[in-house]
Amino acid sequence: MKSNNGKKGILLKFVNFEQYVRLALSHAEFSQNEDGSWTAEMPVLPGCITWGATRSEAVEMAKDAAEAWVLTALRFGDEVPPIDGNSLQYAVDELGAGV
């Protein structure tokens, strides 16, 4: 399914939650800190940053952080930005909270 997301001339493909998180993770930037720990940042999700004691742990934490970022944005009605032309497909319940 495609939509212009309210923007003239821009078509977006809808993806499910898991696909959206994978897309966000594909943009993750990892850097090693002075103490040997690792920082992970997803620039496509503003403010989404986490860390792990090892790079492997930082990867796991990045997935958790991206999932939490999206769920929090939906819960509070914040914009969930398109990633690489893909937009998160979700339903809005009768109380107005994203599901």
Side-chain angles (χ1 to χ4, degrees), residues 23-84:
L23 283 167
L25 291 173
S26 73
H27 289 272
E29 298 173 357
F30 295 90
S31 57
Q32 191 167 23
N33 303 313
E34 290 180 16
D35 65 357
S37 65
W38 286 80
T39 297
E41 184 173 2
M42 278 70 56
V44 294
L45 303 176
C48 188
I49 187 168
T50 189
W51 71 279
T54 63
R55 190 176 198 287
S56 177
E57 186 178 293
V59 169
E60 290 179 41
M61 297 302 290
K63 182 177 185 285
D64 184 57
E67 290 172 347
W69 191 100
V70 172
L71 292 173
T72 301
L74 292 174
R75 170 66 179 94
F76 289 98
D78 296 334
E79 179 184 359
V80 178
I83 301 174
D84 299 336

Side-chain angles (χ1 to χ4, degrees), residues 1-14:
M1 177 181 263
K2 294 187 178 186
S3 165
N4 69 358
N5 200 31
K7 297 179 181 176
K8 194 172 185 177
I10 298 175
L11 290 179
L12 298 175
K13 176 183 170 191
F14 287 113

Side-chain angles (χ1 to χ4, degrees), residues 74-95:
L74 292 174
R75 170 66 179 94
F76 289 98
D78 296 334
E79 179 184 359
V80 178
I83 301 174
D84 299 336
N86 296 279
S87 184
L88 177 64
Q89 182 175 11
Y90 61 94
V92 177
D93 70 17
E94 60 213 34
L95 299 176

